[in-house]
Amino acid sequence: MQATLGRIGRITWMVVLLAGLLVFPGFGQDDDIFGIERKLKSRTRKSESELGNVFRNMIGSIAFELGTGSGFHANTLNFGSLEPKEYPITSVITESVTDIGSEDTLMFRGGNFTFPFHVGVRLNLFDLLEVGGGYGREWGSMNALRVQDYRFNFDSDRFMFDRLYGTVGLVLYDAGKRRSFLNYRYRKYSGANHYMQSERRLRMQQDYPWRFLLDGEFGRLFLRQSFDHRLESSLPYYAAGLRIEREFSEYTKMFVRPGIMVREFGYNPGLESLEMQALRQQVFTVQAGVAVRLPATKRCKVSGCGVVMKHMHNGVEYRGSSIWHMQNRKVGQW
């Protein structure tokens, strides 16, 4: 009996699903939220050969970027040791620190400024995700960490770190999602309402140069010039931020990225010591830079062709302007 009811239930669900597909054959097609269907259907031929066309479609999603900025690193050292005299701890009141016992726990804190720089490459996946990686360098200052009247001192007040990183970005809002949002917003107006439908089309045709991404980063640090020779970095670091982009053309843009980075260091007081103090560092940064996307469409070389917008020759798309200009320009962009 239960098996029969189960078969009837599955058949009922199949009938309902088939009816839905017949009644609503276009459901979801006009709301291509992530732009994947639009991307797949709008592949214009970029080269006369098949291999060249595949290659140009691939490189059109690759962008190189260069960025710099500034930040503030906040450090926390939860200190506890069986031999506190082995550490470079001093007091501002007396030179002796014999009053720190093996059972004491001190929370040292401190911070200073840092200046990061990076070069990277990013791959756009259907205007939904961006993955990439790169190399960065960071210069900064380091002060002694403090708690009450005690100071945890380091060898130097300067450092220089290198980092190799990977990045993943989720596109939150861009021109494609704006068009989908406008379609959703104007859905209550019928096709016979020419005024509202005309307004919808005009707004959708406007250039929207802004792009917002939730950006994640992970990688490894290399201590090129450490602020203390007893410092070690063996754990990966993690970072997150909000990336705001502003396009100047289809291939060039600038970005601003406020974010936070979390990383940990190990502090070993000596070669014979088995203790390891954990130094936790949080870096709050604001970075700015420029990015250039590789042009998938070749520059037009046809003699006598003065078209400055994207156009076709023998079924192949060409661009008539440099990558620093808008390709399909509108009023006020010439």
Side-chain angles (χ1 to χ4, degrees), residues 139-152:
W139 298 268
S141 302
M142 186 69 180
N143 295 334
L145 305 183
R146 303 183 179 188
V147 59
Q148 301 174 5
D149 298 328
Y150 301 106
R151 303 292 182 266
F152 195 104

Side-chain angles (χ1 to χ4, degrees), residues 117-133:
F117 167 84
H118 77 274
V119 292
V121 59
R122 296 172 73 96
L123 175 65
N124 184 5
L125 302 177
F126 302 114
D127 287 333
L128 174 62
L129 289 175
E130 282 195 357
V131 297

Side-chain angles (χ1 to χ4, degrees), residues 163-174:
R163 70 179 193 270
L164 289 176
Y165 67 89
T167 181
V168 178
L170 174 65
V171 179
L172 301 177
Y173 197 72
D174 63 354

Side-chain angles (χ1 to χ4, degrees), residues 260-324:
I260 180 174
M261 181 188 303
V262 179
R263 53 200 188 192
E264 291 189 4
F265 303 92
Y267 187 94
N268 190 332
L271 297 177
E272 299 180 357
S273 176
L274 299 178
E275 292 184 353
M276 182 70 72
Q277 304 293 331
L279 174 63
R280 183 179 178 88
Q281 193 175 77
Q282 293 180 328
V283 188
F284 304 91
T285 60
V286 177
Q287 300 185 63
V290 294
V292 178
R293 183 166 63 92
L294 296 180
T297 304
K298 293 184 290 187
R299 184 72 180 266
C300 179
K301 301 296 184 180
V302 177
S303 178
C305 179
V307 179
V308 298
M309 303 174 72
K310 282 186 176 180
H311 56 284
M312 307 287 287
H313 288 296
N314 298 324
V316 178
E317 183 184 69
Y318 294 89
R319 56 186 175 87
S321 302
S322 70
I323 62 174
W324 311 106

Side-chain angles (χ1 to χ4, degrees), residues 32-41 125-128:
D32 187 16
I33 301 298
F34 300 114
I36 297 178
E37 183 179 353
R38 184 180 68 254
K39 275 279 190 178
L40 293 175
K41 288 184 177 181
L125 302 177
F126 302 114
D127 287 333
L128 174 62

